[in-house]
Amino acid sequence: QGQPVESGGGLVQPGGSLRLSCAASVVGFSDNVMAWYRQPPGKQRELVATIRSDNTTTYEDSVKGRFTISRGAAKNTLYLQMNSLKPEDTAVYYCKALFPYGEWGQGTQVTVSS
């Protein structure tokens, strides 16, 4: 299977919302773990959220209550709903399969600025 394909990034004002999408066939596996990562400019890549096949989720402390990771009705889709966005959320966002292990995609740029 190929790289995941992220989309939905763009420029948004502080306090605004954005919904990221990921096309990845591993989402349809009966037992799997998917994740969203992000890499701010000039900084290391960090884990943002995870979701298991039983829909158990985890979040980085800085995004709790603002971001929601979810699976789409389509078997090959993953979403990250981002609300109350802050300038520090600016980063390239990546979709990643943790189990079964998957490849890195090219990411999608999210810029939060007035």
Side-chain angles (χ1 to χ4, degrees):
Q1 297 179 341
Q3 298 176 339
V5 179
E6 302 91 345
S7 63
L11 176 64
V12 64
Q13 296 182 24
S17 298
L18 208 58
R19 185 176 177 85
L20 306 184
S21 300
C22 174
S25 61
V26 72
V27 170
F29 284 31
S30 60
D31 184 15
N32 63 77
V33 181
M34 297 292 296
W36 284 98
Y37 287 78
R38 68 184 180 186
Q39 186 167 20
K43 298 183 178 181
Q44 67 278 7
R45 187 164 53 204
E46 64 184 7
L47 181 65
V48 175
T50 67
I51 185 167
R52 297 175 60 169
S53 53
D54 65 358
N55 286 326
T56 299
T57 59
T58 69
Y59 297 93
E60 182 194 11
D61 287 343
S62 66
V63 308
K64 288 180 179 177
R66 300 189 298 119
F67 289 13
T68 303
I69 186 172
S70 63
R71 301 176 184 274
K75 295 180 176 62
N76 65 337
T77 55
L78 184 73
Y79 299 103
L80 184 67
Q81 178 66 47
M82 305 184 294
N83 299 323
S84 302
L85 283 163
K86 305 174 180 179
E88 51 263 45
D89 295 319
T90 295
V92 177
Y93 283 72
Y94 300 89
C95 172
K96 180 74 165 65
L98 300 183
F99 181 86
Y101 186 83
E103 302 175 41
W104 292 101
Q106 297 301 307
T108 184
Q109 176 71 51
V110 172
T111 302
V112 184
S113 179
S114 60

Short mmCIF file of all heavy atoms in Angstrom, two decimals, residues 13-72:
data_model
loop_
_atom_site.label_atom_id
_atom_site.label_comp_id
_atom_site.label_asym_id
_atom_site.label_seq_id
_atom_site.Cartn_x
_atom_site.Cartn_y
_atom_site.Cartn_z
N GLN A 13 -7.76 32.12 10.58
CA GLN A 13 -7.54 33.10 11.64
C GLN A 13 -7.56 32.45 13.01
O GLN A 13 -8.20 31.41 13.21
CB GLN A 13 -8.61 34.19 11.58
CG GLN A 13 -8.59 35.02 10.31
CD GLN A 13 -9.63 36.12 10.32
OE1 GLN A 13 -10.07 36.57 11.38
NE2 GLN A 13 -10.03 36.57 9.15
N PRO A 14 -6.86 33.03 13.99
CA PRO A 14 -6.94 32.52 15.36
C PRO A 14 -8.40 32.43 15.83
O PRO A 14 -9.19 33.33 15.57
CB PRO A 14 -6.16 33.54 16.18
CG PRO A 14 -5.18 34.12 15.19
CD PRO A 14 -5.93 34.16 13.89
N GLY A 15 -8.73 31.32 16.50
CA GLY A 15 -10.10 31.09 16.93
C GLY A 15 -10.95 30.38 15.90
O GLY A 15 -12.07 29.94 16.22
N GLY A 16 -10.44 30.23 14.70
CA GLY A 16 -11.17 29.58 13.64
C GLY A 16 -11.07 28.07 13.69
O GLY A 16 -10.47 27.49 14.61
N SER A 17 -11.64 27.42 12.69
CA SER A 17 -11.68 25.96 12.63
C SER A 17 -11.21 25.47 11.27
O SER A 17 -11.28 26.17 10.26
CB SER A 17 -13.11 25.45 12.87
OG SER A 17 -13.57 25.80 14.16
N LEU A 18 -10.73 24.23 11.27
CA LEU A 18 -10.27 23.59 10.05
C LEU A 18 -10.45 22.09 10.22
O LEU A 18 -10.29 21.56 11.32
CB LEU A 18 -8.81 23.93 9.80
CG LEU A 18 -8.27 23.94 8.37
CD1 LEU A 18 -9.04 24.93 7.51
CD2 LEU A 18 -6.79 24.30 8.38
N ARG A 19 -10.78 21.40 9.13
CA ARG A 19 -10.96 19.96 9.16
C ARG A 19 -10.00 19.31 8.18
O ARG A 19 -10.09 19.54 6.97
CB ARG A 19 -12.40 19.58 8.80
CG ARG A 19 -12.72 18.09 8.91
CD ARG A 19 -14.19 17.86 8.62
NE ARG A 19 -14.58 16.46 8.64
CZ ARG A 19 -14.92 15.79 9.74
NH1 ARG A 19 -14.91 16.40 10.92
NH2 ARG A 19 -15.27 14.52 9.67
N LEU A 20 -9.08 18.51 8.69
CA LEU A 20 -8.12 17.80 7.87
C LEU A 20 -8.64 16.42 7.52
O LEU A 20 -9.34 15.78 8.31
CB LEU A 20 -6.78 17.68 8.59
CG LEU A 20 -6.14 18.97 9.09
CD1 LEU A 20 -4.76 18.66 9.68
CD2 LEU A 20 -6.04 20.00 7.99
N SER A 21 -8.29 15.95 6.34
CA SER A 21 -8.69 14.62 5.89
C SER A 21 -7.46 13.82 5.50
O SER A 21 -6.44 14.37 5.10
CB SER A 21 -9.64 14.71 4.69
OG SER A 21 -10.81 15.42 5.02
N CYS A 22 -7.58 12.51 5.61
CA CYS A 22 -6.51 11.61 5.22
C CYS A 22 -7.10 10.42 4.49
O CYS A 22 -8.06 9.81 4.97
CB CYS A 22 -5.74 11.14 6.46
SG CYS A 22 -4.49 9.88 6.13
N ALA A 23 -6.53 10.11 3.34
CA ALA A 23 -6.91 8.92 2.59
C ALA A 23 -5.84 7.87 2.82
O ALA A 23 -4.70 8.03 2.40
CB ALA A 23 -7.04 9.24 1.11
N ALA A 24 -6.22 6.80 3.52
CA ALA A 24 -5.29 5.73 3.86
C ALA A 24 -6.06 4.43 3.99
O ALA A 24 -6.94 4.32 4.84
CB ALA A 24 -4.54 6.03 5.15
N SER A 25 -5.72 3.45 3.19
CA SER A 25 -6.48 2.20 3.16
C SER A 25 -6.42 1.43 4.47
O SER A 25 -7.32 0.65 4.76
CB SER A 25 -5.98 1.31 2.01
OG SER A 25 -4.61 0.99 2.17
N VAL A 26 -5.40 1.63 5.28
CA VAL A 26 -5.25 0.91 6.54
C VAL A 26 -6.38 1.24 7.52
O VAL A 26 -6.64 0.47 8.44
CB VAL A 26 -3.88 1.19 7.19
CG1 VAL A 26 -3.82 2.61 7.74
CG2 VAL A 26 -3.57 0.18 8.29
N VAL A 27 -7.05 2.35 7.32
CA VAL A 27 -8.16 2.74 8.19
C VAL A 27 -9.23 1.65 8.24
O VAL A 27 -9.91 1.47 9.25
CB VAL A 27 -8.76 4.09 7.74
CG1 VAL A 27 -10.05 4.40 8.48
CG2 VAL A 27 -7.75 5.21 7.95
N GLY A 28 -9.38 0.91 7.15
CA GLY A 28 -10.40 -0.12 7.07
C GLY A 28 -10.05 -1.44 7.75
O GLY A 28 -10.89 -2.33 7.81
N PHE A 29 -8.83 -1.58 8.24
CA PHE A 29 -8.42 -2.82 8.91
C PHE A 29 -9.21 -3.02 10.19
O PHE A 29 -9.53 -2.07 10.90
CB PHE A 29 -6.92 -2.78 9.22
CG PHE A 29 -6.02 -3.02 8.03
CD1 PHE A 29 -6.40 -2.64 6.76
CD2 PHE A 29 -4.79 -3.63 8.20
CE1 PHE A 29 -5.58 -2.86 5.67
CE2 PHE A 29 -3.95 -3.85 7.11
CZ PHE A 29 -4.34 -3.47 5.85
N SER A 30 -9.51 -4.29 10.51
CA SER A 30 -10.31 -4.59 11.69
C SER A 30 -9.58 -4.27 12.99
O SER A 30 -10.22 -3.96 14.00
CB SER A 30 -10.72 -6.06 11.67
OG SER A 30 -9.58 -6.90 11.67
N ASP A 31 -8.26 -4.33 12.99
CA ASP A 31 -7.45 -4.01 14.17
C ASP A 31 -6.35 -3.06 13.72
O ASP A 31 -5.42 -3.46 13.03
CB ASP A 31 -6.85 -5.27 14.77
CG ASP A 31 -6.07 -5.01 16.04
OD1 ASP A 31 -6.23 -3.90 16.62
OD2 ASP A 31 -5.31 -5.89 16.47
N ASN A 32 -6.46 -1.78 14.09
CA ASN A 32 -5.50 -0.80 13.64
C ASN A 32 -5.42 0.40 14.58
O ASN A 32 -6.32 0.62 15.39
CB ASN A 32 -5.82 -0.32 12.22
CG ASN A 32 -7.15 0.40 12.14
OD1 ASN A 32 -7.27 1.56 12.55
ND2 ASN A 32 -8.17 -0.28 11.63
N VAL A 33 -4.34 1.14 14.47
CA VAL A 33 -4.15 2.38 15.20
C VAL A 33 -3.68 3.44 14.21
O VAL A 33 -2.67 3.25 13.52
CB VAL A 33 -3.12 2.25 16.33
CG1 VAL A 33 -2.99 3.57 17.08
CG2 VAL A 33 -3.51 1.13 17.28
N MET A 34 -4.39 4.55 14.14
CA MET A 34 -4.04 5.65 13.26
C MET A 34 -3.69 6.87 14.10
O MET A 34 -4.13 7.01 15.24
CB MET A 34 -5.18 5.98 12.31
CG MET A 34 -5.55 4.85 11.36
SD MET A 34 -4.24 4.52 10.15
CE MET A 34 -4.21 6.06 9.24
N ALA A 35 -2.91 7.78 13.51
CA ALA A 35 -2.47 8.95 14.25
C ALA A 35 -2.33 10.17 13.36
O ALA A 35 -2.13 10.06 12.14
CB ALA A 35 -1.13 8.67 14.93
N TRP A 36 -2.45 11.34 13.98
CA TRP A 36 -2.08 12.60 13.36
C TRP A 36 -0.85 13.14 14.08
O TRP A 36 -0.81 13.16 15.32
CB TRP A 36 -3.21 13.63 13.45
CG TRP A 36 -4.32 13.42 12.47
CD1 TRP A 36 -5.51 12.81 12.71
CD2 TRP A 36 -4.35 13.83 11.10
NE1 TRP A 36 -6.29 12.81 11.58
CE2 TRP A 36 -5.59 13.43 10.57
CE3 TRP A 36 -3.45 14.50 10.27
CZ2 TRP A 36 -5.96 13.68 9.24
CZ3 TRP A 36 -3.81 14.74 8.95
CH2 TRP A 36 -5.05 14.33 8.45
N TYR A 37 0.15 13.55 13.30
CA TYR A 37 1.34 14.21 13.80
C TYR A 37 1.37 15.63 13.24
O TYR A 37 0.65 15.95 12.28
CB TYR A 37 2.62 13.49 13.36
CG TYR A 37 2.91 12.18 14.05
CD1 TYR A 37 2.25 11.02 13.69
CD2 TYR A 37 3.88 12.12 15.04
CE1 TYR A 37 2.53 9.81 14.31
CE2 TYR A 37 4.18 10.91 15.66
CZ TYR A 37 3.50 9.77 15.29
OH TYR A 37 3.80 8.58 15.90
N ARG A 38 2.23 16.47 13.80
CA ARG A 38 2.47 17.78 13.22
C ARG A 38 3.91 18.19 13.46
O ARG A 38 4.55 17.75 14.40
CB ARG A 38 1.52 18.83 13.79
CG ARG A 38 1.74 19.17 15.26
CD ARG A 38 0.68 20.15 15.73
NE ARG A 38 0.84 20.51 17.13
CZ ARG A 38 -0.01 21.26 17.81
NH1 ARG A 38 -1.10 21.74 17.22
NH2 ARG A 38 0.22 21.55 19.10
N GLN A 39 4.42 19.03 12.57
CA GLN A 39 5.77 19.55 12.68
C GLN A 39 5.74 21.06 12.48
O GLN A 39 5.61 21.53 11.35
CB GLN A 39 6.70 18.90 11.66
CG GLN A 39 8.15 19.30 11.82
CD GLN A 39 9.09 18.43 11.02
OE1 GLN A 39 8.68 17.76 10.06
NE2 GLN A 39 10.34 18.41 11.40
N PRO A 40 5.85 21.82 13.59
CA PRO A 40 5.90 23.28 13.46
C PRO A 40 7.18 23.69 12.73
O PRO A 40 8.17 22.95 12.71
CB PRO A 40 5.92 23.76 14.92
CG PRO A 40 5.37 22.61 15.71
CD PRO A 40 5.84 21.39 14.98
N PRO A 41 7.18 24.88 12.14
CA PRO A 41 8.37 25.33 11.40
C PRO A 41 9.59 25.39 12.31
O PRO A 41 9.53 25.98 13.39
CB PRO A 41 7.98 26.71 10.88
CG PRO A 41 6.83 27.14 11.74
CD PRO A 41 6.11 25.89 12.09
N GLY A 42 10.68 24.77 11.89
CA GLY A 42 11.91 24.79 12.64
C GLY A 42 11.94 23.91 13.88
O GLY A 42 12.90 23.97 14.65
N LYS A 43 10.90 23.10 14.08
CA LYS A 43 10.82 22.26 15.27
C LYS A 43 10.64 20.79 14.91
O LYS A 43 10.41 20.44 13.75
CB LYS A 43 9.68 22.72 16.17
CG LYS A 43 9.83 24.14 16.69
CD LYS A 43 8.71 24.51 17.63
CE LYS A 43 8.89 25.92 18.18
NZ LYS A 43 7.81 26.30 19.11
N GLN A 44 10.75 19.94 15.93
CA GLN A 44 10.63 18.50 15.72
C GLN A 44 9.17 18.09 15.51
O GLN A 44 8.24 18.78 15.94
CB GLN A 44 11.23 17.74 16.90
CG GLN A 44 10.48 17.91 18.21
CD GLN A 44 10.82 19.19 18.96
OE1 GLN A 44 11.54 20.05 18.46
NE2 GLN A 44 10.30 19.32 20.17
N ARG A 45 8.98 16.95 14.87
CA ARG A 45 7.65 16.40 14.66
C ARG A 45 7.10 15.86 15.98
O ARG A 45 7.83 15.25 16.76
CB ARG A 45 7.72 15.31 13.60
CG ARG A 45 6.38 14.75 13.16
CD ARG A 45 6.55 13.97 11.85
NE ARG A 45 7.60 12.98 11.95
CZ ARG A 45 8.27 12.50 10.90
NH1 ARG A 45 7.99 12.94 9.68
NH2 ARG A 45 9.20 11.58 11.07
N GLU A 46 5.81 16.06 16.23
CA GLU A 46 5.21 15.62 17.48
C GLU A 46 3.87 14.94 17.23
O GLU A 46 3.16 15.24 16.27
CB GLU A 46 5.01 16.81 18.42
CG GLU A 46 4.04 17.86 17.90
CD GLU A 46 3.92 19.07 18.81
OE1 GLU A 46 4.69 19.16 19.79
OE2 GLU A 46 3.07 19.93 18.54
N LEU A 47 3.53 14.02 18.12
CA LEU A 47 2.27 13.31 18.04
C LEU A 47 1.14 14.21 18.52
O LEU A 47 1.24 14.82 19.58
CB LEU A 47 2.33 12.04 18.89
CG LEU A 47 1.09 11.15 18.91
CD1 LEU A 47 0.83 10.57 17.53
CD2 LEU A 47 1.27 10.04 19.93
N VAL A 48 0.06 14.28 17.76
CA VAL A 48 -1.08 15.12 18.10
C VAL A 48 -2.23 14.30 18.66
O VAL A 48 -2.82 14.65 19.68
CB VAL A 48 -1.56 15.92 16.87
CG1 VAL A 48 -2.83 16.70 17.19
CG2 VAL A 48 -0.47 16.85 16.39
N ALA A 49 -2.59 13.21 17.99
CA ALA A 49 -3.73 12.41 18.40
C ALA A 49 -3.63 11.01 17.82
O ALA A 49 -3.00 10.80 16.79
CB ALA A 49 -5.04 13.07 17.96
N THR A 50 -4.26 10.05 18.49
CA THR A 50 -4.33 8.68 17.98
C THR A 50 -5.76 8.18 18.11
O THR A 50 -6.54 8.66 18.93
CB THR A 50 -3.41 7.71 18.74
OG1 THR A 50 -3.88 7.54 20.08
CG2 THR A 50 -1.97 8.22 18.76
N ILE A 51 -6.10 7.19 17.28
CA ILE A 51 -7.39 6.53 17.38
C ILE A 51 -7.22 5.06 17.05
O ILE A 51 -6.56 4.70 16.08
CB ILE A 51 -8.44 7.20 16.46
CG1 ILE A 51 -9.82 6.56 16.67
CG2 ILE A 51 -8.02 7.14 14.99
CD1 ILE A 51 -10.95 7.36 16.04
N ARG A 52 -7.79 4.20 17.89
CA ARG A 52 -7.75 2.77 17.69
C ARG A 52 -9.00 2.28 16.98
O ARG A 52 -9.98 3.03 16.84
CB ARG A 52 -7.60 2.05 19.03
CG ARG A 52 -6.31 2.38 19.76
CD ARG A 52 -6.25 1.75 21.13
NE ARG A 52 -6.35 0.30 21.07
CZ ARG A 52 -6.12 -0.51 22.09
NH1 ARG A 52 -5.75 -0.01 23.26
NH2 ARG A 52 -6.26 -1.82 21.94
N SER A 53 -8.99 1.02 16.57
CA SER A 53 -10.13 0.45 15.86
C SER A 53 -11.37 0.38 16.74
O SER A 53 -12.48 0.31 16.21
CB SER A 53 -9.79 -0.93 15.31
OG SER A 53 -9.28 -1.78 16.32
N ASP A 54 -11.20 0.39 18.07
CA ASP A 54 -12.33 0.44 18.98
C ASP A 54 -12.75 1.88 19.29
O ASP A 54 -13.58 2.11 20.17
CB ASP A 54 -12.03 -0.32 20.28
CG ASP A 54 -10.92 0.31 21.10
OD1 ASP A 54 -10.34 1.32 20.67
OD2 ASP A 54 -10.63 -0.21 22.19
N ASN A 55 -12.16 2.84 18.58
CA ASN A 55 -12.44 4.27 18.68
C ASN A 55 -11.93 4.92 19.97
O ASN A 55 -12.31 6.05 20.28
CB ASN A 55 -13.93 4.57 18.49
CG ASN A 55 -14.36 4.44 17.05
OD1 ASN A 55 -13.59 4.73 16.13
ND2 ASN A 55 -15.59 4.00 16.84
N THR A 56 -11.07 4.23 20.70
CA THR A 56 -10.37 4.85 21.81
C THR A 56 -9.41 5.89 21.25
O THR A 56 -8.70 5.63 20.28
CB THR A 56 -9.60 3.81 22.63
OG1 THR A 56 -10.51 2.86 23.17
CG2 THR A 56 -8.84 4.48 23.77
N THR A 57 -9.38 7.07 21.86
CA THR A 57 -8.55 8.17 21.36
C THR A 57 -7.61 8.70 22.42
O THR A 57 -7.88 8.58 23.63
CB THR A 57 -9.40 9.33 20.84
OG1 THR A 57 -10.24 9.82 21.90
CG2 THR A 57 -10.29 8.89 19.68
N THR A 58 -6.51 9.29 21.98
CA THR A 58 -5.59 10.01 22.85
C THR A 58 -5.24 11.33 22.20
O THR A 58 -5.28 11.44 20.97
CB THR A 58 -4.29 9.22 23.13
OG1 THR A 58 -3.51 9.15 21.93
CG2 THR A 58 -4.60 7.82 23.63
N TYR A 59 -4.87 12.33 23.01
CA TYR A 59 -4.54 13.65 22.50
C TYR A 59 -3.36 14.24 23.25
O TYR A 59 -3.19 14.00 24.45
CB TYR A 59 -5.73 14.62 22.64
CG TYR A 59 -6.93 14.23 21.83
CD1 TYR A 59 -7.95 13.46 22.39
CD2 TYR A 59 -7.07 14.63 20.51
CE1 TYR A 59 -9.06 13.10 21.65
CE2 TYR A 59 -8.17 14.27 19.76
CZ TYR A 59 -9.16 13.51 20.34
OH TYR A 59 -10.27 13.15 19.59
N GLU A 60 -2.56 15.02 22.54
CA GLU A 60 -1.55 15.83 23.18
C GLU A 60 -2.24 16.84 24.08
O GLU A 60 -3.32 17.35 23.75
CB GLU A 60 -0.70 16.55 22.12
CG GLU A 60 0.42 17.38 22.70
CD GLU A 60 1.02 18.34 21.70
OE1 GLU A 60 0.44 18.51 20.62
OE2 GLU A 60 2.07 18.92 22.01
N ASP A 61 -1.63 17.14 25.22
CA ASP A 61 -2.26 18.03 26.19
C ASP A 61 -2.67 19.38 25.58
O ASP A 61 -3.73 19.92 25.92
CB ASP A 61 -1.33 18.28 27.38
CG ASP A 61 -1.20 17.07 28.28
OD1 ASP A 61 -2.06 16.17 28.20
OD2 ASP A 61 -0.25 17.04 29.08
N SER A 62 -1.85 19.92 24.70
CA SER A 62 -2.10 21.25 24.16
C SER A 62 -3.31 21.32 23.24
O SER A 62 -3.80 22.42 22.95
CB SER A 62 -0.86 21.76 23.43
OG SER A 62 -0.59 20.99 22.27
N VAL A 63 -3.81 20.17 22.76
CA VAL A 63 -4.95 20.18 21.85
C VAL A 63 -6.21 19.58 22.45
O VAL A 63 -7.27 19.60 21.81
CB VAL A 63 -4.62 19.45 20.52
CG1 VAL A 63 -3.34 19.99 19.91
CG2 VAL A 63 -4.53 17.94 20.73
N LYS A 64 -6.13 19.07 23.67
CA LYS A 64 -7.29 18.48 24.32
C LYS A 64 -8.42 19.50 24.44
O LYS A 64 -8.21 20.64 24.84
CB LYS A 64 -6.93 17.96 25.71
CG LYS A 64 -6.09 16.70 25.70
CD LYS A 64 -5.77 16.24 27.11
CE LYS A 64 -4.94 14.97 27.11
NZ LYS A 64 -4.57 14.55 28.47
N GLY A 65 -9.62 19.08 24.07
CA GLY A 65 -10.78 19.95 24.12
C GLY A 65 -10.95 20.81 22.89
O GLY A 65 -11.99 21.45 22.72
N ARG A 66 -9.94 20.83 22.01
CA ARG A 66 -10.01 21.64 20.80
C ARG A 66 -9.99 20.79 19.52
O ARG A 66 -10.66 21.13 18.55
CB ARG A 66 -8.84 22.63 20.74
CG ARG A 66 -8.81 23.61 21.90
CD ARG A 66 -7.77 24.71 21.68
NE ARG A 66 -6.42 24.18 21.58
CZ ARG A 66 -5.64 24.30 20.51
NH1 ARG A 66 -6.08 24.95 19.42
NH2 ARG A 66 -4.41 23.79 20.50
N PHE A 67 -9.23 19.70 19.54
CA PHE A 67 -9.10 18.83 18.37
C PHE A 67 -9.86 17.53 18.58
O PHE A 67 -9.95 17.03 19.71
CB PHE A 67 -7.63 18.49 18.11
CG PHE A 67 -6.79 19.62 17.60
CD1 PHE A 67 -7.23 20.94 17.63
CD2 PHE A 67 -5.52 19.36 17.09
CE1 PHE A 67 -6.44 21.97 17.16
CE2 PHE A 67 -4.72 20.39 16.62
CZ PHE A 67 -5.18 21.70 16.65
N THR A 68 -10.38 16.96 17.50
CA THR A 68 -11.06 15.68 17.56
C THR A 68 -10.62 14.81 16.39
O THR A 68 -10.77 15.20 15.23
CB THR A 68 -12.59 15.83 17.51
OG1 THR A 68 -13.03 16.67 18.59
CG2 THR A 68 -13.27 14.47 17.63
N ILE A 69 -10.07 13.64 16.69
CA ILE A 69 -9.69 12.67 15.66
C ILE A 69 -10.86 11.71 15.47
O ILE A 69 -11.51 11.30 16.44
CB ILE A 69 -8.40 11.92 16.04
CG1 ILE A 69 -7.92 11.03 14.88
CG2 ILE A 69 -8.57 11.12 17.32
CD1 ILE A 69 -6.55 10.41 15.12
N SER A 70 -11.15 11.35 14.24
CA SER A 70 -12.28 10.47 13.97
C SER A 70 -12.08 9.71 12.68
O SER A 70 -11.25 10.07 11.83
CB SER A 70 -13.59 11.25 13.93
OG SER A 70 -13.59 12.18 12.86
N ARG A 71 -12.85 8.64 12.53
CA ARG A 71 -12.87 7.86 11.30
C ARG A 71 -14.11 8.22 10.50
O ARG A 71 -15.19 8.40 11.05
CB ARG A 71 -12.87 6.37 11.63
CG ARG A 71 -11.68 5.91 12.43
CD ARG A 71 -11.81 4.44 12.80
NE ARG A 71 -10.72 4.00 13.65
CZ ARG A 71 -9.55 3.58 13.21
NH1 ARG A 71 -9.30 3.52 11.90
NH2 ARG A 71 -8.61 3.20 14.06
N GLY A 72 -13.96 8.30 9.20
CA GLY A 72 -15.07 8.62 8.34
C GLY A 72 -15.93 7.41 8.05
O GLY A 72 -15.57 6.27 8.36
#
